Each structure stands twice: as structure tokens, then as C-alpha cells.
Amino acid sequence: MFESIRKNTRLMALLLGVVVIPAFVLFGVSGYTSFNERTETVAELKGRTITREVWEQAHQREIDRLRQSLPNLDMAQLDTPAARRVTLERLLDEALLAQAAADLRITLGDARLARLLRQEQAVANLLDASGQLDKDRFRDWLNAQGFTPETFDATMRAQLAPQELPQLVQASTLVTDGLVQPWLKAYFERRVVSARWYPAKDYEAKVKVDDAAIEASYRANVAVYQTPETVDVAWVTLSREALARQVKLEPEALRTYYQQNLASFRTPQERQVRHILLKLDASTPPDQAKQIETKANALLQQLRADPQRFAELAKANSQDPGSAAQGGDLGFFGRGAMVKPFEDAAFALAPNGISDVVRTDFGLHILQLVAERGGQTQTFEQARGEIEKRFRQQQAQRLYAEQAERLTNLAFEQPDTLDPVVKSLGLTLQRATNVTRQKVPAALNQPRLVQALFAADATQKKLNTEALEVSPGVLVSARVTRHQAPATRPLDEVREQVKRQLVAEQGAQMAIAAGVQALEAARKGQAPTGLSAPLTVSRDQSVGLPVEAVRAVMGADARELPVWVGVPAGAQGYWVARIDQVKARQPVDPTQQAQEKTQLQRWLAQAEWQALLEALRKRYDARVVAS
């Protein structure tokens, strides 16, 4: 699948720090770096395990992310077994890719790493006016985190290398015209059908359910008819955001912060450059290389004689497919975005200046500086809003760390009450009643906290839970004040519910039997009555039909018409259809063809990626071992 994986040189640790700090600080190291926790293993593969604690933390991060992006989303939908399983499968795939990347020795080259990560806005906080890394601030940050430049470099490369695998699959997925045309022809083909539903509800009136059947179903499914376990809860919340609002803004302190962080209030220097590329590499024969060098020097002489012709000559001569049509314009970029010889030439040019011929791994370049921006330092007044915001965050982080320790200690030292926490930290005691595992107040909706609330220490002994971070910067300790154990509802109370379920199940069975019988008769020449008006169905236009029905229609052998198909639709019943006509797709214009080819390439790359994941799972014996 992979055509080649080039060897990449090692990026300097300090440069790596510039480009990866935002990803590390803002998003955290992925869960699979904490596999050695001494907790229950929930998934495993050769060389790695995933613990329940890592799983819970990862799922909470996903809930936090969705809470921020979709504030109106019902968070209860995200803490279902199905949603939690999705998170676990993702963690398993991440661990799998980390192991595969290590075994395949996949590394990141300098330019690739810079393009991927240097665009983060938070990088600006560590750059000086020239766009270079402030080494002193970076060294301080490393020391605070317990890193050396070498260990930080190794950690980040190991973290980011697995992300290259999907990119390699994407780049290696080739879509030829010979594949595109038959595939799109089949995808956009339309089939005209007449159909009839055999709805389960139409048969429910025929169902007879006696008391013995109801009692048997009740006994077989007694867990379904239990009242949920409930608790009444009291809790306190320590919020970094709330602490930030309490920070006093003294003018002298703000000015001191501004002076200490002056470099972060400078905008990075960027340059807009045009270039002409003539491709040349080590494999180019010497006589051909000489011709390319001669052409480059001739173009250089023309450009220096008439710089206004740069865009014209770039369109006519440049071999860079991404910029030639734009007259060689690469737009604005900062330091670290280009390979070093190119960057050095770009940042050495005077406005409208023309560079010498510059050689890189890509070939020979001639550059022209179009415009430059950045490098300015904001005054205190210009930056005051940002200064106040950062100062509040800095002070709030300090207060949060101090008060979090006090909250943790008080909740542990006096485990049967939260009153000392309330009095010492000035927090508000909040309450909720009739809380279940599935219906939890948003402030408590964190898997580990929910698990703690329903553990024996909380429900039987009424002890405080440990202080848990339910989302970044939000710490909660809670206590159960009342507990109601689950209880089985008596049959008399749920009799009608049991009966309705039995009627629905048997009605669906009768509908499916009737549909199958009708299909068999139709294939022998006796078409059912009540067929619908003709419907035109295709893979991209389901006309409201279930996915199974569309697959049956489009997957049927339609060389000899008419063709009958039937589809069981579970609780809905059964669907019978007659395929009467096949319509080929009408020709489309070249632009649409190109768009469709691109989309097909993405689909096939995704299919190849899933196939690769499945192969890797088998190779590394990756599996979920607990629910």
C-alpha cells in the first residue's frame, strides 16, 4: 500500500518545542501514554494495555469537548454504553497506531513537522519579534514540566508519528480513470421500483396474548422492569474560571506582567514571496542538470533586468503545481514553514528584491519578496485586554492549585461532611434529588464521579467522594445523602407494558411471514396487490427507504427484468419491491467529474484505512477484554 517512507532527519529539540507546545498544552498527551496504570485492563494488544482509568479519562475529555462545541447537546446521550465503547475502540486504534509506527520506524521530518504544527496560535507566546524561539522562556517551561530538550523531543515525536499513517494511506491511494468510470456509473445508477410494505402494526390486532405468555415474558426479562437505583446528592465545586473572576487587577502588577512577557506581545514576522521552481534532484543526469542550471541563471538575468515580469515568467516556467498558476505566489509564511535554504533567502530579501538561485531538495528556486508584515510590539494600552485576561488566568491557576489541595485534604480528613470545605473555601453547597446513573446533573456528569457516587462507600457509608476533576479546571467533591436501591416492579404494575411488547414482537413476526410468502408468490408470477406508484431509487437518493431496502434494490441482478426483492425490516415489518427499469446516469461536465474523482479517492482511502486497521488488529492481536 505504501510506495515509500522517506528517511527524515531529526529536528532540533528547541525547534520541536516551538511547534508542538500548543498541542501538548492545549490537548494533552493521548490516553495511550498512560498504559502502565495499575488498574483493570479493558483492552490490550501485543506490547500495550489500556486501563479502565485511562478509558474513563479519555471519555470524559470527549464529553468536555462536545459540551464546549455543542452546549445544547444532552450529555446523558454521551455516557451510554455505546458511546463509551466508541471511545474505547478509538483508544485501542490509537495504541495500535503507536505500536505500528514504532515498529515501522516512522518518523517526522523537519519540514513536515513544521507545516503540521507551527500554525498554532499559542506558538506566538514563545516567539520573539523575528519569529524565533525565545530560548529562555522555553527552557523555563521545560524545567517546570520536568523535561530535558532531548526527552521532550522524543516524547513529541512518538506522539505525532502515528498521525502520519493515515496521511501515507491517503497519499498512496490511486484512482485511475479506468476505476472511476465503472464505479461512478454503478453508484449513480437509478432503478425504478414499485413496492409494498407489510407493516407490523397491521398484524398486531391478530395477536392473542394470554396471561401465561405475559408471566413467562416478565420472568425472562425481570431486569427490564426494575426501578432505577437513585441517590440524593450534595456537592461542592471549585472552578478555576470562578477564581479568575475574583482576581484583583492592580495596575502595577499588570505592567510588571507586560514587561516580563514583552516578547509574547510581538506579532510574528511573516513574508509574502513569489518563486519559480525548476525541479532538480540527485537522480537527475549531469547533462540534464547542467541544462536546468543554465535555464535558472537565464531566468535570473531576465528577472533582475525587469522584476515586473516575475509573475509572467513564473506562470510560464515554474514547475511548482501549487503556485505556478498564481504567478509563483506562496502567500504569507513565517519562520519554520519552509526548508531552511528557502527560508534564509526569503527573510534576507529587501522589498521587491530578487534572490540568487537557491538550491533545496525540491530543485532550484528564484525568489521575489512581495510584502512583509508583523514584528511590531503592542503597547501596554493596546494589549491591556489580553494582559488582563492572561494575568487573571495565571493568578487563577495558582489559586486553583492551592485550593484544590485544601479541598482534597478536607474532604478526606472529614469524610462524612462537606461543611468544613464550604466554610474554609467559601464554596456553595449544591443539591440534587433522584439522581440515577443515566440521569445526572451536568455538574456531576463525569464517569469516574458517577461511579464513585454509586459505590458502597458513598451509598452505604455516606462518605465524601474523592475530589475529581470533572472537566479542565473544575474540581468536585460530592456526598450521597439518601440512597434508594433498585427494586423489581410487580407484574400487576407492568402487565400492560409486557403485553404491548409481546404484541409488537409477534406482530412483526407475522408481518415478516406474510411478506416472505408474498415474495415467493411474486417470483412465481402472482404479484401482490397494493403496489405503490413507481419510485426511482439510487445509492445517493434513498427516497426515504431504509438502508437495507436500498441495498437490496441496487444489489439485485437486474439483467433480466422485472426482478423481485424482499427485505425484513425488524419491528417495521417486511418490504417487497419489483424492479421494473434501470436508468443509466446522464453525462456530466468535466468539473463535476473531477470533483467526483476526488471524492471517490477519499472514500477509497477511507476504505483502505479501515482495512489496514483491521489487518493491524489481527497482527497485534488487539481486542477489547472488558465492557
Side-chain angles (χ1 to χ4, degrees):
M1 178 179 291
F2 304 123
E3 294 182 354
S4 63
I5 301 177
R6 294 193 309 167
K7 283 190 174 181
N8 295 304
T9 57
R10 184 176 182 274
L11 185 63
M12 292 186 305
L14 292 181
L15 177 59
L16 181 60
V18 173
V19 296
V20 302
I21 281 175
F24 185 85
V25 173
L26 297 180
F27 305 112
V29 179
S30 295
Y32 57 75
T33 61
S34 303
F35 289 152
N36 293 324
E37 302 268 356
R38 293 184 179 178
T39 52
E40 177 191 2
T41 295
V42 293
E44 62 185 12
L45 64 151
K46 292 178 181 177
R48 296 174 185 259
T49 60
I50 299 173
T51 65
R52 184 172 293 278
E53 183 173 0
V54 168
W55 178 19
E56 290 172 352
Q57 291 171 351
H59 191 65
Q60 183 59 41
R61 286 196 298 272
E62 182 66 10
I63 289 175
D64 294 339
R65 183 185 67 80
L66 290 171
R67 181 185 285 122
Q68 293 176 4
S69 60
L70 301 168
N72 296 324
L73 183 64
D74 181 5
M75 292 297 114
Q77 298 178 19
L78 304 178
D79 202 25
T80 63
R84 289 168 56 80
R85 179 61 180 250
V86 169
T87 301
L88 182 56
E89 294 285 351
R90 176 176 57 77
L91 280 176
L92 185 58
D93 286 342
E94 288 179 357
L96 188 65
L97 295 184
Q99 190 64 51
D103 292 347
L104 291 170
R105 293 179 173 79
I106 294 176
T107 59
L108 293 174
D110 298 357
R112 174 65 175 164
L113 193 61
R115 285 196 298 271
L116 283 176
L117 300 173
R118 192 180 169 88
Q119 298 175 2
E120 293 288 348
Q121 182 61 39
V123 175
N125 295 336
L126 297 168
L127 302 181
D128 60 22
S130 66
Q132 296 296 315
L133 176 69
D134 185 326
K135 296 182 180 179
D136 292 335
R137 294 183 66 218
F138 177 60
R139 189 180 304 108
D140 291 343
W141 185 89
L142 283 180
N143 291 335
Q145 301 298 321
F147 279 112
T148 65
E150 291 75 20
T151 59
F152 187 69
D153 176 277
T155 299
M156 293 299 98
R157 285 191 181 276
Q159 171 103 13
L160 296 169
Q163 300 176 18
E164 291 298 279
L165 279 167
Q167 296 296 327
L168 291 169
V169 173
Q170 178 76 21
S172 65
T173 303
L174 301 178
V175 179
T176 64
D177 290 338
L179 174 64
V180 170
Q181 295 309 319
W183 198 96
L184 292 178
K185 177 182 177 182
Y187 182 78
F188 288 108
E189 181 182 272
R190 283 156 170 69
R191 296 188 172 187
V192 180
V193 302
S194 295
R196 176 182 167 179
W197 273 104
Y198 290 82
K201 290 187 177 298
D202 289 356
Y203 294 85
E204 289 180 0
K206 302 177 182 180
V207 176
K208 304 298 181 184
V209 178
D210 57 24
D211 288 343
I214 292 174
E215 291 175 7
S217 178
Y218 172 75
R219 287 194 300 270
N221 300 281
V222 67
V224 175
Y225 305 110
Q226 283 193 332
T227 58
E229 183 180 17
T230 64
V231 291
D232 292 349
V233 184
W235 76 92
V236 292
T237 301
L238 178 65
S239 166
R240 186 166 54 207
E241 183 179 344
L243 291 173
R245 292 194 292 268
Q246 300 170 17
V247 172
K248 293 182 180 180
L249 300 175
E250 300 291 346
E252 183 176 347
L254 294 177
R255 287 192 177 276
T256 299
Y257 179 88
Y258 172 70
Q259 292 297 329
Q260 291 175 342
N261 297 276
L262 195 62
S264 69
F265 297 105
R266 297 190 183 106
T267 56
Q269 189 178 23
E270 294 182 319
R271 294 205 155 190
Q272 181 185 4
V273 168
R274 292 193 185 99
H275 84 134
I276 295 173
L277 168 66
L278 301 181
K279 292 183 179 180
L280 176 64
D281 58 35
S283 65
T284 306
D287 56 341
Q288 186 179 348
K290 186 67 175 178
Q291 293 175 7
I292 294 172
E293 291 169 356
T294 300
K295 180 177 180 179
N297 288 321
L299 284 170
L300 178 61
Q301 296 305 316
Q302 294 182 63
L303 291 168
R304 285 189 168 159
D306 189 358
Q308 300 300 320
R309 295 188 62 202
F310 199 104
E312 171 195 340
L313 292 175
K315 289 180 181 179
N317 296 279
S318 181
Q319 295 174 319
D320 179 2
S323 68
Q326 288 75 45
D329 193 348
L330 295 171
F332 280 98
F333 58 87
R335 291 187 180 272
M338 303 294 181
V339 293
K340 194 172 189 313
F342 192 100
E343 176 188 297
D344 291 345
F347 281 86
L349 285 172
N352 297 315
I354 305 294
S355 73
D356 293 332
V357 175
V358 178
R359 183 158 191 164
T360 72
D361 290 343
F362 300 99
L364 304 180
H365 308 257
I366 304 172
L367 288 67
Q368 180 183 45
L369 178 60
V370 179
E372 55 187 331
R373 67 185 182 191
Q376 301 86 11
T377 301
Q378 292 177 289
T379 66
F380 175 80
E381 293 303 327
Q382 288 173 332
R384 178 146 191 164
E386 182 64 20
I387 294 169
E388 291 181 355
K389 176 183 175 182
R390 293 189 198 175
F391 184 79
R392 282 186 186 276
Q393 291 174 342
Q394 182 189 70
Q395 297 303 306
Q397 180 59 41
R398 179 182 59 80
L399 290 170
Y400 180 73
E402 294 173 356
Q403 296 193 17
E405 183 176 4
R406 290 169 62 191
L407 189 161
T408 299
N409 292 338
L410 287 169
F412 176 77
E413 292 166 358
Q414 301 187 54
D416 58 352
T417 176
L418 288 170
D419 290 344
V421 177
V422 172
K423 293 175 183 178
S424 176
L425 301 181
L427 302 177
T428 301
L429 189 66
Q430 299 173 276
R431 298 182 183 275
T433 60
N434 296 319
V435 175
T436 70
R437 294 177 187 269
Q438 290 73 39
K439 186 179 180 182
V440 185
L444 305 176
N445 196 1
Q446 198 267 3
R448 290 181 64 204
L449 181 55
V450 173
Q451 183 179 5
L453 285 173
F454 286 91
D457 279 352
T459 58
Q460 304 304 318
K461 300 178 182 179
K462 304 296 190 294
L463 300 183
N464 299 333
T465 68
E466 65 174 309
L468 294 171
E469 196 166 39
V470 297
S471 60
V474 180
L475 198 68
V476 170
S477 182
R479 178 171 174 267
V480 171
T481 58
R482 182 197 65 85
H483 172 244
Q484 178 65 54
T488 301
R489 298 166 67 188
L491 175 57
D492 288 344
E493 185 179 321
V494 297
R495 183 178 295 274
E496 285 303 313
Q497 180 181 347
V498 178
K499 182 178 180 179
R500 285 196 300 272
Q501 181 63 31
L502 284 171
V503 168
E505 291 173 356
Q506 294 181 29
Q509 293 171 6
M510 294 171 67
I512 291 172
V516 170
Q517 184 178 359
L519 177 63
E520 292 174 353
R523 286 174 172 171
K524 294 177 182 178
Q526 187 178 349
T529 60
L531 292 175
S532 69
L535 299 170
T536 301
V537 181
S538 68
R539 290 180 174 86
D540 65 322
Q541 294 182 7
S542 66
V543 295
L545 295 177
V547 172
E548 297 82 1
V550 176
R551 286 176 178 168
V553 169
M554 302 309 299
D557 185 348
R559 286 175 293 184
E560 294 184 10
L561 298 175
V563 174
W564 288 92
V565 295
V567 180
Q572 290 182 273
Y574 199 85
W575 188 74
V576 174
R578 183 183 65 208
I579 305 172
D580 294 315
Q581 184 181 359
V582 175
K583 293 183 176 181
R585 188 192 189 196
Q586 297 298 315
V588 296
D589 61 69
T591 300
Q592 186 172 342
Q593 287 181 2
Q595 293 172 346
E596 290 172 354
K597 182 176 182 179
T598 299
Q599 182 61 54
L600 177 58
Q601 193 272 340
R602 292 176 183 151
W603 286 340
L604 292 179
Q606 181 63 27
E608 289 195 8
W609 176 240
Q610 291 302 319
L612 176 60
L613 279 179
E614 288 302 316
L616 288 174
R617 284 201 174 202
K618 291 179 181 178
R619 175 180 177 181
Y620 289 98
D621 194 20
R623 63 188 187 277
V624 172
V625 296
S627 59

